[in-house]
Amino acid sequence: MIDLAPHDETDTTALKERERFAQILVLFGRHGLKGLAARLGLGAGGGEPLEDTRPEAIVALLRDIGPVAVKFGQILAMRSDLLEPAWVDALSKLQDRVPPLPFAAVQPLIEEAIGGPIETSFSHFETEALAAGSIAQAHAATLLDGRDVIVKIRRPGIERIVDADLRLLRRLARVAERRIPEIARLKPDELLRHFAESLAREMDLSAEARASDAIGEYLKTYGVRTARFDWELSGRRVNIQERLRGFPASDLDAARRSDLDLATLASTYAQAILRMIIINGHFHADPHPGNVFFLEDGTLGLIDFGAVGTLLPRRREELVRLGLAIASEDTGGVVDILMLWAGDPDVERVRLEEAMAELIDRFSNVLLDQIDLADIFQMVFAILRDFHLALPPDLALVLRTLLTAEGFVRRIDPAFDIARELAPIAKELMRERASPARLRGEAGKLLAALGRAVLSTPNLVGQIEKVARTGSITVSIAPKDLERLRGRERAGRGTPQLYPATLAICAAIVFSSQPLLAGLLAFGAVALAVFEGVRRR
C-alpha cells in the first residue's frame, strides 16, 4: 500500500492529512470502489480496470469528499475531449449547492469587512440567504443611500479546507498518473494546476468585482449591463454589488409571457459572448441562464464573474488559422493546429487527416444557419479521444463557454442563425489581419527571421559549395518524417514544407550553368522556409 501522507508524525498537519486519507478510503468502500482504491495503492487487493468503474459511483464519491472534489468534477465535466459521454453526463450532474450558514455565522465577517456594525452601512439586511454555494453565500440588502445590493460573503474557514483538499487531490492525482495509464492520458496534474488557479480566483471575491468592472466596460458597447460594485465596502472575503432588477433567463416561461423581444435578446447575448472571447480576449466563462438576466428596461444583464477565461492573442490567431484551414478544406492545416495544441504527440497522422477530412466534408455543403455547434464539437471531441489528443485547458474553457452559449440561444430562439452572428466578427478579423499595422508587424517578423537565418547559414553556404564542387547531394530523412511523406503521397496532397527543399535542389542543379538563377532560387527557398515557419507559429 502506498502511503500518501507526509512522514513527520509530530506535525499536526501530517496527522490531519492521514486522518483525511483514512476518511477518503472509507468513502471509496462505501461507494463500491475498493477495487479502484487498490489500483491507487490505497487498499489491499489487485484492483479493477478503470472501464469497470461506474461513473455514478465516482460522482457520489466526489460529492461526499466535499466542495473541492465537487468543483473538480465540474471541471472534468467540461472535458469532452478527454472523457467519454457517459462520464461527462454523470459529472455534469454535480451541483455546487449547499445549505446556507446561519446569519450569526457570517455576520462577524460582514462587520469586519465594512468596519463596524451592519446598521452603519445598511438600512436593511435580509438575514435569510438568497443563494449559497460551497465558497460563498449571498444576501439581499439596502445601503443607507437607498441602493439595493447583493452582499456576497465567503464561507468562514473555507480557505483552509480548500488548501488541504487540494494538496490531497494533487497527491492522489500523481499516484493515479503513475499507476493507471488511462488516467495518465488525462494529464491530471495539469488539470489540477489549472483548477487550482481558477479556484484561487473564485476564492478572492474582489477578483469577481474587478472582472465584472473590466468586462462590463467592454460589454456596454453592445447594450449588456453588469453589476456595479461598491469598492469602499468590498474586499477579498466580502463584496457588495448592485442588484440588477429583472428575472433570470432560466425562467423562460416568464420571458415568453413578457413583452420582451427574445430574438433580439438572443442575438445580443450571442454577440456579447462571441466578442468577449474573440475580440476582447477576456470573457465570462459560465454564461448559463442562471447568470443571465432579462432586465426591466428590456436589456440584458450578466452576473457572477467568479469564473472568467482569457484567450491570449496567439490562441486567437491559432483559432483563426483553424477556421481558415477548415474553410479551405485544408485537412493538413487543421491537423497541424490540433497537433500543436496537443504538444505534437506521436500519432497516426494520415489516419487523423482522413478522419478530419471526413468531418469537414460532412459539413461542407450544410448551410451555416443549419449547423449545430454542439454536434460539431461532439464529433471533434470523439476524434480527439480516439487519437489520445487533449486540448489545452484554456481552449477547453473557450469551447465549454461556446457550447453553453449556443445551447442557451437555441432555447430562447430555435431559429437562431449563427451565420448572421459570426459574419460581422469574421469580417472584423479579416480586416484586422489585412490592416497596414498588422502587415507591418508581420513584415518585421519576417525580416527578423531572415536575419536569424542569414546569421546561422555558414553551414548552409558550405553545403551549397560542396554540392557545386562535387555535383552530388546527400539527403537525410528521419523515419518518422519519411512515413509522413508517404502518407501525404497516398493522400494525394502537396506538402508546403517540401517547396523550399525543392527550390534548394533546383538551385544546386542549375548552379554551374545559371549562377544568377540559382541564387534567386536559393533565396526563394530560404524565404519560403522562413515564411512557413512564421505561418506555423
Side-chain angles (χ1 to χ4, degrees), residues 76-318:
L76 289 176
M78 306 173 195
R79 300 306 303 266
S80 297
D81 57 320
L82 299 175
L83 301 175
E84 295 292 338
W87 283 91
V88 171
D89 290 344
L91 290 166
S92 297
K93 295 180 174 63
L94 283 167
Q95 297 294 322
D96 183 27
R97 295 288 182 269
V98 298
L101 292 172
F103 183 67
V106 298
Q107 183 175 354
L109 297 178
I110 300 169
E111 294 183 336
E112 182 182 350
I114 65 177
I118 284 179
E119 294 78 13
T120 60
S121 297
F122 300 94
S123 61
H124 177 73
F125 203 107
E126 291 286 345
T127 57
E128 186 176 344
L130 281 175
S134 57
I135 301 297
Q137 64 187 56
H139 293 256
T142 304
L143 292 170
L144 293 177
D145 60 11
R147 285 180 291 151
D148 290 331
V149 294
I150 301 294
V151 181
K152 185 178 286 190
I153 311 106
R154 196 172 71 190
R155 296 172 76 91
I158 189 63
E159 195 165 15
R160 176 179 50 79
I161 295 170
V162 166
D163 286 345
D165 277 5
L166 268 177
R167 285 197 302 273
L168 296 182
L169 275 178
R170 286 194 192 101
R171 289 180 189 152
L172 198 59
R174 284 195 289 270
V175 172
E177 194 165 359
R178 289 197 304 270
R179 298 175 66 93
I180 306 178
E182 304 96 310
I183 289 181
R185 187 182 72 80
L186 305 182
K187 301 179 181 177
D189 219 27
E190 180 183 350
L191 280 172
L192 276 168
R193 187 167 59 251
H194 181 73
F195 170 60
E197 291 170 358
S198 65
L199 199 55
R201 285 193 298 269
E202 190 174 352
M203 294 279 291
D204 180 3
L205 299 188
S206 65
E208 177 191 358
R210 291 192 297 273
S212 180
D213 279 358
I215 299 175
E217 190 65 27
Y218 176 78
L219 290 177
K220 277 197 307 187
T221 308
Y222 305 102
V224 177
R225 284 191 59 199
T226 62
R228 294 185 294 270
F229 283 74
D230 189 315
W231 280 101
E232 289 186 10
L233 301 177
S234 297
R236 289 177 57 84
R237 291 187 295 173
V238 174
N239 72 37
I240 297 171
Q241 57 188 281
E242 171 190 13
R243 185 174 188 179
L244 298 180
R245 289 298 180 181
F247 54 88
S250 53
D251 190 354
L252 281 182
D253 290 337
R256 293 189 174 108
R257 289 194 302 268
S258 69
D259 295 328
L260 297 173
D261 184 348
L262 293 184
T264 298
L265 286 171
S267 177
T268 299
Y269 171 86
Q271 282 291 314
I273 299 301
L274 290 169
R275 288 180 177 278
M276 267 194 298
I277 295 172
I278 299 172
I279 306 298
N280 190 48
H282 195 42
F283 58 93
H284 193 306
D286 195 18
H288 64 76
N291 286 337
V292 182
F293 267 67
F294 296 141
L295 304 181
E296 292 175 346
D297 61 2
T299 59
L300 203 67
L302 272 180
I303 65 168
D304 194 357
F305 282 77
V308 295
T310 300
L311 187 69
L312 295 174
R314 66 180 176 86
R315 281 277 191 256
R316 186 181 70 169
E317 180 66 19
E318 289 161 4

Side-chain angles (χ1 to χ4, degrees), residues 346-472:
D346 189 12
V347 300
E348 296 180 63
R349 186 182 174 99
V350 175
R351 194 165 69 88
L352 178 56
E353 288 195 14
E354 289 170 352
M356 293 308 304
E358 183 180 343
L359 179 62
I360 292 172
D361 184 64
R362 180 169 181 171
F363 288 97
S364 60
N365 296 318
V366 178
L367 296 176
L368 277 174
D369 61 350
Q370 297 172 358
I371 286 178
D372 189 330
L373 285 182
D375 286 347
I376 296 177
F377 285 164
Q378 291 309 321
M379 293 176 193
V380 172
F381 291 152
I383 291 173
L384 293 175
R385 290 194 302 270
D386 186 30
F387 287 89
H388 293 179
L389 301 175
L391 294 173
D394 59 335
L395 275 177
L397 189 59
V398 167
L399 294 185
R400 194 285 297 258
T401 304
L402 289 173
L403 282 173
T404 300
E406 202 223 10
F408 175 48
V409 294
R410 295 278 188 191
R411 285 180 60 206
I412 298 177
D413 179 13
F416 175 71
D417 182 358
I418 192 171
R420 186 181 62 221
E421 309 303 330
L422 285 172
I425 298 176
K427 288 178 183 176
E428 191 172 328
L429 285 175
M430 290 304 101
R431 282 197 302 270
E432 179 187 309
R433 288 174 68 84
S435 69
R438 172 64 182 269
L439 293 176
R440 282 196 300 272
E442 292 300 321
K445 291 179 185 177
L446 180 58
L447 286 174
L450 281 170
R452 289 194 299 272
V454 169
L455 290 173
S456 60
T457 52
N459 288 336
L460 176 62
V461 173
Q463 291 298 320
I464 293 175
E465 185 270 334
K466 180 179 178 182
V467 168
R469 187 177 66 254
T470 64
S472 64

Side-chain angles (χ1 to χ4, degrees), residues 5-6 8-20:
D8 182 359
E9 295 292 338
T10 62
D11 184 53
T12 304
T13 301
L15 291 174
K16 286 182 178 178
E17 290 186 0
R18 286 177 181 276
E19 292 172 2
R20 182 63 169 145

